[in-house]
Amino acid sequence: DGGITQSPKYLFRKEGQNVTLSCEQNLNHDAMYWYRQDPGQGLRLIYYSQIVNDFQKGDIAEGYSVSREKKESFPLTVTSAQKNPTAFYLCASSSKREGRLSYNEQFFGPGTRLTVL
Amino acid sequence: RKEVEQDPGPFNVPEGATVAFNCTYSNSASQSFFWYRQDCRKEPKLLMSVYSSGNEDGRFTAQLNRASQYISLLIRDSKLSDSATYLCVVRYYNFNKFYFGSGTKLNVKP
């Protein structure tokens, strides 16, 4: 089955630790995205990548880092510099519209709930 | 000012009712528009894209008004299973970034 997987589903972090959230897709999508969602809030963009070995900061990149070494994978590291990391983290991907520079709709993974103890 | 704004609700309606949500966006360069549905503690899932001429998918109708910069979603004959949060999403052509509204919560009651 084609789709996006995220792991782990739940993650607990002690203060001062770095943790890495996994995101893998087998949809052959070019673009991948990381969002953060807080209770009662909309999704806020952390980082996004349109091609391998390239990525751009979103609106709330401070305290996060990413890599895009393979088309299928876009892991997110939540560093100790992120002051309030407890949130629901969602990974998404989208394909490029044929013959155009723009992208189609996004598909989401099931998310990772991160809690700082 | 937020890029995309929605009434958070909740909208509490009886089964069988018709309910409509609006969403406004701030950037006139917006290129694509979508409605997503998000169930509690789950990921958003695409409900429908919104086309310039308006489009319908079963009980759901989406409309776009570029002049006034808003999109709408109409749900007819509401079902209990329609209870969820509905997210309005806008994509800007220049940046290929997607902007999400905070969502409108719908509760359909028996």
Side-chain angles (χ1 to χ4, degrees), chain A residues 13-26:
Chain A
R13 188 195 95 169
K14 293 181 181 177
E15 287 196 22
Q17 278 184 335
N18 292 355
V19 291
T20 297
L21 283 57
S22 168
C23 177
E24 304 276 333
Q25 55 99 359
N26 61 3

Side-chain angles (χ1 to χ4, degrees), chain A residues 98-112:
Chain A
E98 194 169 325
R100 306 176 77 165
L101 296 175
S102 57
Y103 287 81
N104 293 313
E105 64 277 9
Q106 295 184 322
F107 293 90
F108 285 85
T112 293

Side-chain angles (χ1 to χ4, degrees), chain A residues 33 35 37 42-43 45 48 50 59 88 90 97 101-106 108-110 113, chain B residues 31-32 34 36 38 41-44 46 49 87 91 93 95-102:
Chain A
Y33 308 78
Y35 293 91
Q37 187 175 35
L43 277 66
L45 182 64
Y48 65 108
Q50 297 183 70
D59 302 313
F88 186 36
L90 288 156
R97 297 174 76 182
L101 296 175
S102 57
Y103 287 81
N104 293 313
E105 64 277 9
Q106 295 184 322
F108 285 85
R113 291 198 178 273
Chain B
Q31 184 77 6
S32 301
F34 310 93
Y36 279 72
Q38 186 174 26
R41 301 179 69 81
K42 298 285 191 181
E43 76 273 23
L46 179 68
S49 301
L87 305 176
R91 182 182 63 78
Y93 175 78
F95 301 104
N96 279 317
K97 289 165 66 174
F98 293 75
Y99 289 92
F100 288 74
S102 299

Side-chain angles (χ1 to χ4, degrees), chain A residues 38-89:
Chain A
D38 295 279
Q41 306 284 319
L43 277 66
R44 292 185 290 167
L45 182 64
I46 304 173
Y47 269 98
Y48 65 108
S49 167
Q50 297 183 70
I51 56 172
V52 173
N53 293 324
D54 188 44
F55 47 82
Q56 290 78 41
K57 291 182 179 180
D59 302 313
I60 55 164
E62 185 175 350
Y64 299 98
S65 65
V66 293
S67 62
R68 186 92 187 270
E69 297 176 1
K70 299 186 299 182
K71 188 175 184 179
E72 304 80 21
S73 179
F74 191 41
L76 173 75
T77 296
V78 184
T79 75
S80 56
Q82 170 48 239
K83 297 306 177 191
N84 186 21
T86 295
F88 186 36
Y89 289 87

Side-chain angles (χ1 to χ4, degrees), chain B:
Chain B
R1 183 182 174 187
K2 290 183 180 178
E3 302 284 349
V4 180
E5 299 211 54
Q6 295 181 249
D7 180 344
F11 286 59
N12 298 308
V13 302
E15 270 187 291
T18 296
V19 61
F21 310 136
N22 283 339
C23 160
T24 58
Y25 59 94
S26 60
N27 192 323
S28 60
S30 300
Q31 184 77 6
S32 301
F33 308 88
F34 310 93
W35 282 103
Y36 279 72
R37 170 197 169 123
Q38 186 174 26
D39 292 295
C40 189
R41 301 179 69 81
K42 298 285 191 181
E43 76 273 23
K45 293 187 177 177
L46 179 68
L47 180 65
M48 58 196 303
S49 301
V50 185
Y51 302 121
S52 296
S53 56
N55 48 299
E56 189 173 302
D57 183 1
R59 298 181 293 107
F60 299 87
T61 300
Q63 298 268 344
L64 168 64
N65 184 319
R66 284 192 183 271
S68 300
Q69 294 183 200
Y70 77 83
I71 67 173
S72 64
L73 177 68
L74 181 78
I75 305 175
R76 291 181 299 278
D77 189 22
S78 299
K79 310 292 184 192
L80 295 176
S81 57
D82 293 334
S83 296
T85 297
Y86 291 83
L87 305 176
C88 171
V89 184
V90 171
R91 182 182 63 78
Y92 294 167
Y93 175 78
N94 288 342
F95 301 104
N96 279 317
K97 289 165 66 174
F98 293 75
Y99 289 92
F100 288 74
S102 299
T104 297
K105 187 170 176 59
L106 172 65
N107 294 318
V108 181
K109 311 277 188 187

